[in-house]
Amino acid sequence: MALTSSYFDEGALIGVLTTQPLDRVLDYRAPEGGCHLGAFVEVPLGPRKVLGVVWGPGKGDYDISKVRSVIRVLDAAPMREELMAFLTRAGDYTLTPMPAMLRLATRAPGLGDPPSMRKIYRLGDTTPDRMTDARTRVLDVLRDMGGLSLTLRELADAAGVTTSVVKGLAKLGAVREEDSPRDTPFPTLDPTYAGKDLTEDQSTASATLRAAVATRSYGTTLLKGVTGSGKTEVYLEAVAECLSQGRQALVLLPEIALTAEFLTRVDARFGAKPAEWHSGVTITDRRRVWKMVAQGGAQLVVGARSSLFLPFRDLGLIVVDEEHDTSYKQEDGVLYNARDMAVLRASICGAQVILASATPSLESWANADAGKYTKLELTSRFGAAVMPEMRAIDMRNEDLPGSSWISPTLQRAVQQRLDQKEQALLFINRRGYAPVTICRACGHQIGCDHCDARMVEHRFLKRLVCHQCGETKPLPSVCPSCEAEDKLAAVGPGVERLAEEAQALFPDARLAVLSSDMFGSARALKAEIETIASGGADLIIGTQLVAKGHNFPLLTLVGVIDADLGLQGSDLRAAERTFQLMRQVAGRAGRADKPGQALMQTYQPEHPVIRAILSGDEQDFWTAEAGERRAAGVPPYGRLAGIILSSTDVQEVFDLGNALARNDAPLRRAGAQVFGPAPAPIARVRGRHRVRLLVKAPKGTALQPALAEWVAPFKLKGELRMAIDIDPQSFY
């Protein structure tokens, strides 16, 4: 992005990018007093006032006499050129219009509002004539604080009284009530506060990372370590180095539920809690974080993927924890992968990136293999903990009724742990709404006659559908392989169904169900996880959520109900994700001093992925998986883009899909080919019919310009919508 001037005098012609869905930067006159490049401004657009950013000089290709003036410059630090360049390049990569990119960077309502105030309370000058126990506790808390102020709720909670007690003391003058700005800097983090004793390989890894951060230049490191090896302690040392240089750090976590435990660890290491940014944060706190990040009043941000778009003043380090996790891919609105965007942003602002995982994505593994990323490995668990023993339960030999999911072998293992007052986890590998159809007699999975994908049951249609080529056929009543009747089942029980079965089998066990869709708020989910970790449950039923970095010290047995599910779906990453998920969830067991065990129920114990999981031979698995992907020309050794079309009219959406497939000359010129259209696996969502096309191209192809040229002639009218997903992670 060529930037010609950093300040515009009053009346100068400037270009303003707004958050409105327009296809261009708009011309305005600089306001009274002028404005800086990157300034956040309020501008007139028709009858409305809208938010925008000064993006550069105006083009002057509009009737100059009609150009209106900027209404006002907002009281916010101007957007830095580094962030403007990041939004531009990210928009170009993901084929996202710039107003949508700007909306990602302005997700803090009330940016232009004057600083809001709140009431705070300090120790007053008088003592009440009548003292009560409650009043004494309030005054004692304020004395202990050494003059520090507290909000009404903080003071009442700390003293264990109602807010009316505090307000009563304020009326008497014993407590002073004052107004204070809400948007205040976050507590200072001390990089020397409480470093931990590290093992030899942790020390070596942290020294390497500290040295990389000290260069104040770009670089990416893949930090691979078995679950429980102390990756967090290692990368917190890199954060300490970043803070000691006066630069800011960002730690991305894949799940809000992980933040509570992580914030506690940051507090223990640096003596204060960092800033938080995720959907569980209040609007008031979001505005505070946004402003403090821009002003340098927040040294460390812990957040979800959207925190990548915060206006950091001097970003020196980005950590992507559990970098393989699929939740880093945004699947609606702007379709981006936070892991890849972290690398892009760091390369623009001269920051280091640490990608941490026990089971790295094949993309990161390939980049490390090719020398693009530095690779560091932690090979042993911290302290007395050892990796769990892993074993398969061959479901073909288990006597299991059609309506049950917990095998007799797994039932006995769970009972043994419960008798020993230890925790057990039953894990469901639930992957969306598209279960594979399996024969419970022989383990056969029904495949497509025209390609190598497994067929998926569509409840609406009462048919099996191939998501690769669109082929459909009726759901058979007899297994095509062993001819057993009424043994075909869509694999995958719901958590509620499994919880009922577990309660019947283990009536005395205290049951906890952990699934992200069962909790109304992030706070409720955090509270449940803390309860489980402290021993508040005997048996946990969980989905993918439990595989994400939680530490349950009493957990010694993990039973995987359906290890096969997702193994041979139509997803090119099926084997990789199954391998990662099984290794991650098994890693929840035996993280303290008691050894753990992981039992996997499978109909295919001889499958190469299942064998690799059990043997722990990761190098062999990654090498074999890379070989298959290279031969197929798919990521990371080829390029893919998904096109998702939707409309309330099924005919309209297929007509557009067929027209795109027929007019593919721009793609063919670039060496790409298009597959489809085929119904999306979830063919109807909220009354909208969905159709997919898949574009495949060799690795070095300039895919985005070809895609843009391909779709440009098609004007979407009425209810038709099109989304382009570069590097799709899911095929739903």
Side-chain angles (χ1 to χ4, degrees):
M1 186 168 70
L3 301 173
T4 53
S5 172
S6 62
Y7 186 79
F8 301 96
D9 292 320
E10 180 180 340
L13 199 62
I14 57 173
V16 174
L17 177 66
T18 72
T19 55
Q20 304 305 301
L22 302 166
D23 59 356
R24 65 191 190 282
V25 172
L26 304 174
D27 279 3
Y28 288 93
R29 296 275 183 200
E32 185 181 343
C35 58
H36 283 90
L37 180 77
F40 288 88
V41 291
E42 189 175 72
V43 295
L45 187 65
R48 294 176 300 149
K49 298 174 181 178
V50 300
L51 175 71
V53 170
V54 178
W55 212 250
K59 282 190 174 176
D61 56 357
Y62 181 72
D63 185 346
I64 295 293
S65 66
K66 292 183 179 176
V67 172
R68 299 158 83 182
S69 182
V70 167
I71 297 168
R72 65 182 178 120
V73 177
L74 303 187
D75 182 20
M79 182 179 285
R80 295 169 53 79
E81 292 181 30
E82 163 264 312
L83 180 52
M84 296 170 78
F86 171 58
L87 294 178
T88 303
R89 287 177 60 182
D92 289 345
Y93 186 86
T94 58
L95 293 176
T96 302
M98 285 309 295
M101 294 305 303
L102 182 59
R103 283 198 294 275
L104 283 179
T106 52
R107 281 185 168 164
L111 287 182
D113 296 351
S116 63
M117 308 298 278
R118 64 177 173 182
K119 298 288 185 192
I120 57 166
Y121 297 83
R122 299 180 191 275
L123 197 60
D125 303 321
T126 63
T127 304
D129 295 336
R130 190 174 65 82
M131 288 297 290
T132 64
D133 182 45
R135 287 178 170 182
T136 303
R137 290 205 302 274
V138 171
L139 298 179
D140 284 348
V141 164
L142 287 173
R143 285 190 195 98
D144 291 344
M145 286 291 168
L148 290 178
S149 60
L150 294 171
T151 65
L152 181 62
R153 172 54 51 202
E154 287 169 345
L155 180 52
D157 287 351
V161 300
T162 61
T163 54
S164 59
V165 176
V166 179
K167 287 180 175 177
L169 286 168
K171 281 180 183 172
L172 296 169
V175 169
R176 281 214 316 269
E177 184 182 78
E178 300 172 358
D179 286 320
S180 170
R182 284 181 185 276
D183 299 334
T184 52
F186 286 83
T188 303
L189 304 181
D190 179 0
T192 63
Y193 180 73
K196 278 197 168 183
D197 291 334
L198 302 179
T199 63
E200 191 176 337
D201 58 348
Q202 284 178 326
S203 297
T204 305
S206 68
T208 305
L209 292 173
R210 273 180 171 271
V213 172
T215 64
R216 302 179 74 90
S217 61
Y218 164 71
T220 297
T221 302
L222 177 60
L223 177 61
K224 181 183 176 305
V226 296
T227 48
S229 60
K231 292 183 291 296
T232 307
E233 277 72 29
V234 170
Y235 70 63
L236 283 180
E237 292 308 304
V239 170
E241 180 64 38
C242 180
L243 300 185
S244 67
Q245 293 184 10
R247 301 188 80 188
Q248 293 166 303
L250 167 63
V251 176
L252 297 180
L253 299 177
E255 191 72 46
I256 295 172
L258 293 173
T259 53
E261 184 190 346
F262 186 78
L263 295 178
T264 305
R265 293 172 82 165
V266 169
D267 195 355
R269 173 63 183 84
F270 298 115
K273 283 195 164 68
E276 278 185 82
W277 181 273
H278 50 70
S279 60
V281 172
T282 65
I283 286 175
T284 305
D285 286 339
R286 284 174 87 82
R287 191 177 65 234
R288 178 191 179 199
V289 171
W290 195 94
K291 288 195 168 185
M292 288 306 112
V293 162
Q295 294 171 24
Q299 299 160 281
L300 170 62
V301 177
V302 175
R305 58 185 178 231
S306 59
S307 49
L308 260 182
F309 297 91
L310 285 169
F312 289 96
R313 195 172 76 174
D314 185 11
L315 185 58
L317 173 68
I318 305 175
V319 178
V320 186
D321 201 3
E322 309 289 354
E323 66 86 30
H324 65 279
D325 199 286
T326 53
S327 58
Y328 284 125
K329 179 65 187 270
Q330 170 113 345
E331 297 284 8
D332 52 23
V334 180
L335 306 177
Y336 68 91
N337 190 317
R339 179 195 65 217
D340 301 340
M341 292 299 115
V343 173
L344 173 61
R345 181 150 194 193
S347 69
I348 294 170
C349 66
Q352 288 287 317
V353 180
I354 299 172
L355 305 177
S357 175
T359 54
S361 61
L362 191 59
E363 282 82 356
S364 297
W365 186 87
N367 279 326
D369 216 36
K372 288 183 185 175
Y373 298 168
T374 306
K375 186 176 177 185
L376 294 174
E377 277 202 68
L378 303 173
T379 53
S380 57
R381 280 196 154 180
F382 188 78
V386 293
M387 288 301 289
E389 174 206 354
M390 301 184 74
R391 221 155 41 79
I393 297 173
D394 188 342
M395 296 298 285
R396 295 168 301 189
N397 301 331
E398 295 286 319
D399 184 17
L400 192 64
S403 59
S404 299
W405 295 96
I406 303 170
S407 67
T409 302
L410 181 55
Q411 187 182 333
R412 288 192 295 273
V414 170
Q415 191 60 58
Q416 182 188 350
R417 302 292 163 154
L418 297 178
D419 292 344
Q420 293 169 4
K421 303 288 188 239
E422 296 167 8
Q423 284 178 334
L425 163 68
L426 297 178
F427 175 77
I428 308 174
N429 183 13
R430 192 173 65 181
R431 294 208 58 78
Y433 305 88
V436 172
T437 301
I438 190 171
C439 172
R440 291 193 131 178
C442 68
H444 175 75
Q445 295 180 12
I446 298 179
C448 176
D449 299 331
H450 301 286
C451 61
D452 60 1
R454 296 299 181 265
M455 299 194 86
V456 166
E457 180 187 346
H458 275 239
R459 299 265 168 85
F460 278 137
L461 306 171
K462 294 189 172 61
R463 292 177 74 82
L464 295 173
V465 179
C466 172
H467 296 156
Q468 204 77 30
C469 69
E471 176 69 19
T472 78
K473 59 186 175 189
L475 183 64
S477 58
V478 173
C479 172
S481 177
C482 71
E483 299 186 349
E485 287 193 32
D486 299 325
K487 281 288 189 178
L488 291 171
V491 177
V495 280
E496 297 89 348
R497 168 74 195 82
L498 189 65
E500 284 171 18
E501 184 181 338
Q503 195 70 78
L505 289 173
F506 312 106
D508 298 330
R510 294 170 300 159
L511 225 65
V513 179
L514 263 192
S515 175
S516 51
D517 54 8
M518 295 190 70
F519 291 87
S521 68
R523 193 170 285 122
L525 182 54
K526 284 180 187 178
E528 181 68 3
I529 286 166
E530 286 170 11
T531 301
I532 293 169
S534 62
D538 306 313
L539 184 57
I540 308 154
I541 312 283
T543 58
Q544 272 101 321
L545 175 69
V546 297
K548 297 181 179 182
H550 302 299
N551 188 17
F552 299 132
L554 304 174
L555 183 67
T556 57
L557 175 71
V558 170
V560 180
I561 298 298
D562 44 6
D564 302 334
L565 183 57
L567 198 55
Q568 291 162 309
S570 54
D571 185 347
L572 72 94
R573 295 182 175 83
E576 175 186 358
R577 286 193 181 146
T578 300
F579 181 81
Q580 289 165 338
L581 198 54
M582 296 302 107
R583 297 284 298 175
Q584 288 281 343
V585 77
R588 298 308 110 213
R591 291 172 72 93
D593 51 357
K594 292 177 179 174
Q597 185 180 46
L599 299 176
M600 292 168 37
Q601 294 189 161
T602 172
Y603 286 92
Q604 311 170 70
E606 67 289 333
H607 191 286
V609 176
I610 300 292
R611 292 210 328 248
I613 294 165
L614 295 172
S615 70
D617 200 334
E618 294 180 343
Q619 191 67 33
D620 272 9
F621 172 73
W622 293 124
T623 305
E625 182 69 6
E628 285 192 22
R629 298 260 196 104
R630 197 180 276 111
V634 293
Y637 306 103
R639 302 204 63 192
L640 288 180
I643 317 296
I644 305 101
L645 310 174
S646 71
S647 173
T648 50
D649 182 338
V650 69
Q651 190 58 50
E652 184 180 51
V653 82
F654 267 104
D655 287 348
L656 175 59
N658 286 320
L660 281 164
R662 281 195 305 272
N663 297 285
D664 65 343
L667 295 178
R668 282 188 280 111
R669 279 197 298 275
Q673 54 186 145
V674 61
F675 298 92
I682 309 173
R684 194 169 62 140
V685 176
R686 297 187 200 93
R688 295 184 66 83
H689 297 274
R690 302 168 74 247
V691 161
R692 289 192 66 112
L693 295 96
L694 190 66
V695 176
K696 182 180 169 188
K699 189 163 175 57
T701 305
L703 188 54
Q704 282 88 341
L707 288 167
E709 184 188 346
W710 176 47
V711 302
F714 297 92
K715 300 303 175 199
L716 304 181
K717 294 176 183 171
E719 286 290 313
L720 265 177
R721 302 285 182 272
M722 177 193 297
I724 299 176
D725 188 0
I726 306 292
D727 310 323
Q729 291 289 309
S730 81
F731 293 82
Y732 298 132

